[in-house]
Amino acid sequence: MYESTWMFCLKRILTLPFVLLGVSILTFVFIRFVPVEPAEVILRLARVAPTEEAIQALREELGTDKSFLLQYLLWGKGVLQLDFGTSFVSKLPVAHELFTKLPATIELAIAAFILILGLSIPFGVISALYKHTIIDKIIQFFSILSVSIPTFWLGFLLLYLFSLKLGLFPTNGKGTPAHLVLPAFALALPTIGLFVQFIRSTILEELQQQYVQYARLRGLKSSVILIRHVLRNAAIPLTPLLGMTLGNLLGGAVIVEQVFSWPGLGRYLIESIMNRDYPVVQCYVLIIAVIYVLANLCTDILHRLLDPHLMMKGRRD
């Protein structure tokens, strides 16, 4: 088992550079499809007349006058040396700015992740145990509704109801736990609906297994069967989704941070895209890609450790 697990980890780690290479190339190419010249945007931000001479001089200073291939090779060489370049707008190191804002995004993603687990598991279990009852129908209705609501519209709705009308939470910014509630809920709600549906179907499938019938014949209580056996087995197919969920939360925080003025990576990314700040966008995508791949790797390893079938297969291999 240990050799199989180590080999699995080694293979996944060895694929990481190729994944990041592909992500970096796609990002580098796609962002340059935007027709607006970064030098022109920077000059307009500085309130300088964007003449041809000024644009050309700034392009030479930024290095955007070189060919795509040469620009990519120079940038890739810097990345290998942990130098992610300098922001076109702020003239500060990109890595410093991004890692300064990264904790706020991680804080928001973790809070949303806790909400997802804390709400979807009990509601999914209740929906499965009370199948086809009014309780199940209510939970199913709200889970489908949560998936259908656009995130930006949900954010504005929460701001209107709980901040402007009721005055329970701040409207924007970061500083207290109260500032975290609405953006975390807006980020988590669509995923909560998906998890409720998944947990419900998984538990219903587990309740039909023979080991449950055998446990009932042995006289075990329903609560013991549910907690010790059904939930444990239902958690096995859930673990691979956790890594993807955490990555999706980090990437999906862009809209939520913009709506609630949360000072994280997502809001900074929007500003950088508007300003055609290439180094910032490229570094942001690389950071999210690394976090996403590592989160999936951890959950895949956990899935192998929890699933007895994969463990036995590893022993046979």
Side-chain angles (χ1 to χ4, degrees), residues 80-315:
L80 293 177
Q81 299 173 352
L82 300 181
D83 180 10
F84 296 94
T86 303
S87 171
F88 289 169
V89 178
S90 65
K91 306 301 181 182
L92 296 175
V94 172
H96 174 74
E97 289 199 304
L98 288 179
F99 283 108
T100 300
K101 300 177 184 299
L102 180 60
T105 298
I106 293 178
E107 179 184 355
L108 178 60
I110 291 177
F113 192 75
I114 293 174
L115 280 176
I116 291 170
L117 295 181
L119 295 178
S120 61
I121 293 177
F123 282 117
V125 172
I126 293 172
S127 181
L129 295 180
Y130 294 92
K131 180 179 64 172
H132 301 321
T133 63
I134 185 65
I135 297 176
D136 179 33
K137 293 179 180 179
I138 293 175
I139 294 176
Q140 290 294 300
F141 171 77
F142 280 104
S143 64
I144 294 175
L145 182 64
S146 66
V147 176
S148 306
I149 299 177
T151 304
F152 70 91
W153 188 86
L154 175 62
F156 288 123
L157 178 63
L158 293 176
L159 282 175
Y160 178 76
L161 291 178
F162 296 100
S163 296
L164 298 181
K165 286 296 183 181
L166 300 179
L168 298 177
F169 299 102
T171 56
N172 53 49
K174 177 181 179 294
T176 66
H179 287 85
L180 185 60
V181 175
L182 292 184
F185 188 76
L187 184 60
L189 189 60
T191 309
I192 290 175
L194 292 175
F195 269 54
V196 168
Q197 297 286 336
F198 182 82
I199 293 171
R200 178 183 182 273
S201 62
T202 304
I203 290 180
L204 289 176
E205 182 178 347
E206 290 295 326
L207 289 175
Q208 303 301 319
Q209 300 297 321
Q210 292 183 355
Y211 74 87
V212 175
Q213 307 299 328
Y214 177 69
R216 288 172 177 169
L217 292 175
R218 290 176 55 197
L220 294 179
K221 295 182 179 179
S222 299
S223 58
V224 175
I225 297 174
L226 178 66
I227 296 174
R228 292 187 180 181
H229 302 285
V230 175
L231 288 180
R232 180 178 179 181
N233 290 329
I236 294 175
L238 183 64
T239 49
L241 297 178
L242 299 180
M244 291 187 292
T245 299
L246 184 57
N248 291 336
L249 291 177
L250 289 170
V254 174
I255 298 176
V256 174
E257 289 182 1
Q258 190 70 14
V259 172
F260 292 93
S261 299
W262 185 264
L265 286 179
R267 189 182 178 194
Y268 184 49
L269 174 66
I270 296 296
E271 296 173 354
S272 301
I273 292 175
M274 297 295 294
N275 296 331
R276 307 299 185 266
D277 202 342
Y278 293 165
V280 174
V281 178
Q282 292 162 183
C283 185
Y284 171 88
V285 174
L286 272 183
I287 291 175
I288 296 301
V290 170
I291 295 175
Y292 195 96
V293 172
L294 292 179
N296 277 275
L297 175 61
C298 293
T299 52
D300 285 344
I301 295 173
L302 180 61
H303 180 241
R304 291 176 66 87
L305 296 176
L306 291 177
D307 194 340
H309 299 290
L310 292 177
M311 293 171 62
M312 292 303 296
K313 184 180 182 298
R315 291 173 179 173

